[in-house]
């Protein structure tokens, strides 16, 4: 529980556990990997680094008690333009390795919000407030879900996702990101 991802999110949203694999520093390897996956269609790199991350984390017991994996969704317009959701690729690879069920349709973006990349903490929070919803809340009642994102920066996107998920009765949320800023 004393890792940077958990400490950054604790108190903002009720989470069971959280962790990140890489550090996302300006011009660092983590940033280059994420940029290549996200903006340069390097899906195979995303799958490779996720396999590495997952097999390294498995012995810790992190994946032991999840009912479902849910990736942070892109708005359908952005997904159509990009051709894929990099977070869904990460989530799908984790699901294939761990056997944990993946559901990339339950959580969805209600509206397309502008990119967060140049925004500060407050603007990120404001930009993501109320933009996610759940299609069928009953499917998540009393479940422990692993919410997946590519990068944990301020936590605003993950917090907005969690607020939508918390509408489900008895839900427990844990978080895994490929990188943390």
């Amino acid at each position: 529980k004393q890792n940077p991802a958990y400490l950054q999110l604790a108190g903002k949203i009720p989470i069971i556990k959280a962790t990140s694999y890489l550090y996302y520093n300006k011009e660092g390897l983590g940033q280059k990997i994420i940029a290549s996956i996200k903006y340069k269609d390097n899906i195979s790199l995303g799958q490779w680094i996720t396999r590495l991350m997952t097999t390294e984390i498995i012995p810790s017991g992190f994946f032991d008690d999840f009912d479902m994996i849910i990736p942070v969704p892109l708005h359908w317009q952005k997904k159509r333009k990009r051709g894929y959701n990099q977070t869904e690729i990460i989530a799908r690879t984790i699901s294939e390795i761990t056997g944990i069920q993946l559901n990339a349709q339950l959580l969805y973006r209600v509206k397309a919000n502008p990119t967060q990349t140049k925004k500060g903490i407050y603007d990120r929070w404001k930009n993501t407030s109320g933009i996610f919803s759940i299609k069928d809340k009953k499917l998540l009642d009393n479940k422990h879900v692993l919410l997946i994102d590519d990068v944990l920066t301020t936590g605003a996107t993950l917090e907005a996702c969690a607020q939508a998920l918390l509408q489900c009765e008895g839900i427990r949320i844990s978080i895994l990101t490929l990188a943390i800023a």
Side-chain angles (χ1 to χ4, degrees), residues 37 43 46-55 58 63 68-73 79 83-107 146-150 176 178:
I37 297 165
I43 293 169
Q47 294 166 326
W48 177 81
I49 194 71
T50 302
R51 280 193 298 274
L52 188 66
M53 171 185 71
T54 305
T55 56
I58 283 173
F63 295 108
M68 189 178 301
I69 297 172
I70 299 179
V72 170
K79 186 174 180 180
Y84 61 95
N85 175 355
Q86 72 283 355
T87 302
E88 191 174 327
I89 289 165
I90 295 165
R92 186 168 311 284
T93 304
I94 294 168
S95 175
E96 289 167 2
I97 294 168
T98 63
I100 302 166
Q101 176 189 358
L102 168 70
N103 192 313
Q105 286 76 44
L106 279 175
L107 180 66
L146 178 60
L147 184 60
I148 304 289
D149 204 359
D150 55 358
L176 174 62
L178 192 53

Side-chain angles (χ1 to χ4, degrees), residues 104-145:
Q105 286 76 44
L106 279 175
L107 180 66
Y108 67 97
R109 280 189 194 246
V110 176
K111 63 179 184 176
N113 60 321
T115 183
Q116 304 262 85
T117 54
K118 306 271 189 230
K119 295 186 182 313
I121 293 171
Y122 175 73
D123 289 333
R124 282 174 180 254
W125 174 80
K126 198 167 108 180
N127 190 40
T128 57
S129 182
I131 67 166
F132 296 101
S133 190
I134 306 293
K135 285 186 182 168
D136 188 348
K137 294 177 182 141
K138 291 288 181 203
L139 292 176
L140 293 172
D141 284 353
N142 301 305
K143 301 288 189 216
H144 186 185
V145 299

Side-chain angles (χ1 to χ4, degrees), residues 10-29:
K12 292 181 181 179
I13 50 178
I15 53 174
I16 306 300
K17 45 189 167 179
T19 197
S20 298
Y21 187 60
L22 303 169
Y23 283 102
Y24 186 90
N25 300 318
K26 190 171 174 77
E27 301 302 319
L29 183 59

